[in-house]
Amino acid sequence: MKKLLLLSLTLFTLNVFGQDTTNTKNDVDLLTSKLNKLHNKISTIDLDISKLKLNLDLKKITKFSTIYGAVNGGTSLSNVDVYSVTDGLQTTTIETPYDYSVILGVRKIARMGYEPKEAFKNGQENSFSDASTVGKVKGFEYLFEVSYVRQEGENYANQHHFLRYIDDEYILKVEYLEDGFADIKYFEASQRYRYKVEDLDKLDFLPEVLQKGKLSLNIGAVQRLSEPYGYDPLEEWKLSNGNLHYTFLALEEGYNANFISHGIVQYTDPQGNIVAENTEIWEAVAIPQVLSDYTEKKRNELENTIQHSLVLGFDYYYYSKKLWLHSWGNLMPWHYDDKGEFSYHKFNNGEQWYDYSGGLIFGYKYNKNLGVFIEGKYNKYWNREWHDFSFGVNYIIF
C-alpha cells in the first residue's frame, strides 16, 4: 500500500510539472550578450593585490622581436649666397649642414599581409600600419624607438613608444609620442570594448570581395597627458586694438634700447650683445626671435594637463595577393571639462571639439604588370595636425 501511494505521488508530480512547463524561445542580442559577458568578467576580478602573481614568460614576450640601431645621413639644402651693397659689394655664404638621423629601437609587431619583409631595419621604414588600432595577431605587441634627427639645419629629438594588448573583446594600449618636426608631444592610455562584426555580407555598401574582410568596432575611454595646447602666452601682451606691445615685452625680458646721438638706436640682448642697430632690423629680425623664445619659455614653465575623452573607432582588414585594404579610424567627440585654468575647453570658448585620427592602406594589381597603391595616416589633436601619405603606380616590364 505504501509503495502504491509513493508511486501515485510521483506520477502526480510529474504530471503537474509536465502541464506547467512550456518551451519558449528567447532571442538574445549578440552585442548585449557580449557586454554582459565582459561585465561578469570584470565583476569577478579579485582586487586583492597581495594575491597578484605575475607569471611573465620573457622568452615568449621577446620572441620574434627585433632590436635595431642605425645611422642615416644625406645632403641637405645647397649653399646659398647672400649679397649686400651697404658698404660695397659683400657676399655671404649660408651653409646648411648635412642631414642625419641616429635611431635606436625595439619592436614586436606582426607584419600585415601587404608588408614586405626587409633584410634589415634602419628605423626609417614608413610603416603606416603601426598606427592602426588592431594588429594582425592577438596578444602583446610593442614598439620603443628613439631618434635624434637633423633636418635642413634644425635638430629634433623624436620618440615613439607603445604597448598594446589585443583580445577578441577588448583593446588596451598605452602610447607616448614626441614629434619635434610636428611640435607635438603627449602620453595616451586607452581602454576599449571591441565588437567583431561577423556578417559582413549584410553590409551592402561594400563590394562583394571586401565582404570577406574582418571588421571590428570599438568604444571606450582615453586619457591624454600633454602640455596645455591652446594656451597663448602672448595674449596678455595684446593691446585693445589687437596689436602686440612687443618692445615693452622685450624690455621685460632683459633687452635694452640704447639711444645714440642723431636718432641712432642700438638694441642689445640680456647678455649685452648688439642685436640691431636700427628699428627696421629690430622689428624684422630681433623681435621675432624674442617672441619665439618667450612663448617657448612660458610653455615650458607650465605643468602637463590630463584630458579624459570618449573614443569611438573601427578597424577593417582584408588581404589577398591581388587586392588589399586596411583602414582604421578614431573619433573623440566628447571631452571632460575639469574647469582648469589651462583646460582646452577654455581656449575653445567652452565648447566641445572633435579630435580624430585615421589611416588607409590600399593596393590593387590589375594584372602581373600594372598595380596602384594609396597609403596614408592623419591625426588632428587639439587643432594640431600631422600626417604622412604616399600613392602611385607600379608597372613591371617582363
Side-chain angles (χ1 to χ4, degrees):
M1 183 66 182
K2 185 177 180 180
K3 291 182 179 181
L4 182 60
L5 181 60
L6 290 172
L7 181 60
S8 300
L9 289 173
T10 301
L11 292 175
F12 176 75
T13 303
L14 290 174
N15 184 53
V16 171
F17 282 139
Q19 291 176 357
D20 289 346
T21 302
T22 57
N23 294 324
T24 59
K25 181 179 180 182
N26 295 322
D27 294 328
V28 180
D29 181 71
L30 183 59
L31 178 58
T32 303
S33 175
K34 289 197 172 186
L35 285 172
N36 288 335
K37 187 176 178 181
L38 179 62
H39 172 270
N40 292 336
K41 285 184 178 180
I42 296 174
S43 63
T44 55
I45 293 177
D46 189 349
L47 298 179
D48 187 352
I49 299 178
S50 63
K51 297 180 181 179
L52 182 62
K53 294 182 180 180
L54 293 177
N55 185 20
L56 298 179
D57 188 341
L58 185 61
K59 183 177 181 180
K60 183 176 181 181
I61 293 175
T62 59
K63 188 176 182 180
F64 300 122
S65 64
T66 302
I67 301 174
Y68 55 94
V71 178
N72 308 283
T75 303
S76 187
L77 298 174
S78 60
N79 297 340
V80 178
D81 293 332
V82 179
Y83 302 96
S84 173
V85 294
T86 303
D87 297 316
L89 179 61
Q90 297 181 358
T91 303
T92 303
T93 301
I94 300 177
E95 298 180 356
T96 303
Y98 65 89
D99 293 345
Y100 75 88
S101 64
V102 179
I103 302 173
L104 298 172
V106 55
R107 62 182 288 137
K108 180 185 177 181
I109 304 174
R111 287 189 304 112
M112 311 302 286
Y114 50 78
E115 292 182 306
K117 184 177 181 181
E118 309 94 350
F120 294 98
K121 291 188 179 297
N122 61 14
Q124 292 188 315
E125 296 83 8
N126 198 5
S127 183
F128 293 105
S129 64
D130 288 354
S132 63
T133 309
V134 179
K136 186 178 180 180
V137 298
K138 294 195 300 181
F140 277 110
E141 291 189 316
Y142 50 82
L143 168 70
F144 300 98
E145 183 177 282
V146 179
S147 62
Y148 299 93
V149 181
R150 182 168 68 194
Q151 184 174 349
E152 298 180 8
E154 298 291 335
N155 296 317
Y156 305 101
N158 300 327
Q159 297 185 63
H160 189 199
H161 316 301
F162 75 76
L163 173 65
R164 69 185 177 194
Y165 185 83
I166 307 297
D167 188 78
D168 287 335
E169 297 179 345
Y170 59 89
I171 304 169
L172 304 175
K173 184 178 182 179
V174 291
E175 180 178 23
Y176 177 77
L177 176 68
E178 180 179 357
D179 189 330
F181 192 75
D183 191 24
I184 188 75
K185 179 170 64 175
Y186 64 89
F187 171 84
E188 178 178 292
S190 63
Q191 312 81 37
R192 313 189 193 195
Y193 167 73
R194 181 187 183 196
Y195 175 67
K196 299 173 70 175
V197 180
E198 303 292 346
D199 300 324
L200 286 186
D201 55 343
K202 295 181 180 179
L203 303 179
D204 297 333
F205 62 88
L206 288 176
E208 184 177 353
V209 64
L210 294 180
Q211 294 177 8
K212 300 176 182 179
K214 298 178 180 179
L215 173 66
S216 66
L217 310 176
N218 58 79
I219 181 172
V222 173
Q223 304 82 41
R224 291 174 292 171
L225 188 67
S226 69
E227 69 172 76
Y229 291 112
Y231 166 65
D232 183 6
L234 299 179
E235 188 66 32
E236 59 184 293
W237 294 96
K238 289 183 179 179
L239 303 173
S240 57
N241 60 3
N243 293 330
L244 189 69
H245 203 333
Y246 52 81
T247 299
F248 186 66
L249 187 157
L251 295 176
E252 287 290 319
E253 289 299 297
Y255 287 79
N256 287 295
N258 303 316
F259 293 90
I260 313 299
S261 60
H262 305 293
I264 299 175
V265 184
Q266 285 186 341
Y267 298 89
T268 59
D269 63 16
Q271 289 74 40
N273 302 313
I274 298 176
V275 294
E277 293 186 334
N278 57 62
T279 304
E280 289 76 14
I281 295 178
W282 170 248
E283 294 179 346
V285 179
I287 285 298
Q289 187 62 48
V290 171
L291 300 181
S292 176
D293 293 342
Y294 176 77
T295 54
E296 182 178 1
K297 182 186 74 171
K298 297 298 289 185
R299 285 171 57 184
N300 291 337
E301 288 176 353
L302 298 178
E303 295 183 353
N304 290 332
T305 60
I306 188 168
Q307 182 72 68
H308 299 272
S309 307
L310 171 71
V311 63
L312 308 171
F314 78 92
D315 191 281
Y316 174 84
Y317 176 70
Y318 172 78
Y319 173 76
S320 68
K321 292 184 178 181
K322 184 177 181 179
L323 169 68
W324 56 88
L325 174 62
H326 188 189
S327 180
W328 63 92
N330 302 284
L331 173 65
M332 301 178 198
W334 181 87
H335 315 272
Y336 173 70
D337 185 4
D338 62 1
K339 307 299 181 182
E341 180 182 1
F342 301 106
S343 168
Y344 193 78
H345 288 83
K346 179 179 179 180
F347 306 121
N348 200 49
N349 300 318
E351 301 291 335
Q352 292 287 345
W353 71 95
Y354 293 108
D355 286 338
Y356 47 87
S357 63
L360 172 68
I361 299 174
F362 170 79
Y364 180 68
K365 294 184 177 180
Y366 290 96
N367 49 49
K368 293 181 179 180
N369 303 89
L370 181 63
V372 297
F373 68 93
I374 302 174
E375 300 178 343
K377 60 182 179 179
Y378 178 86
N379 297 76
K380 184 178 181 182
Y381 280 9
W382 305 291
N383 207 32
R384 307 177 78 85
E385 301 175 83
W386 65 102
H387 50 80
D388 300 284
F389 68 89
S390 64
F391 60 90
V393 179
N394 286 185
Y395 186 85
I396 301 174
I397 300 176
F398 292 103

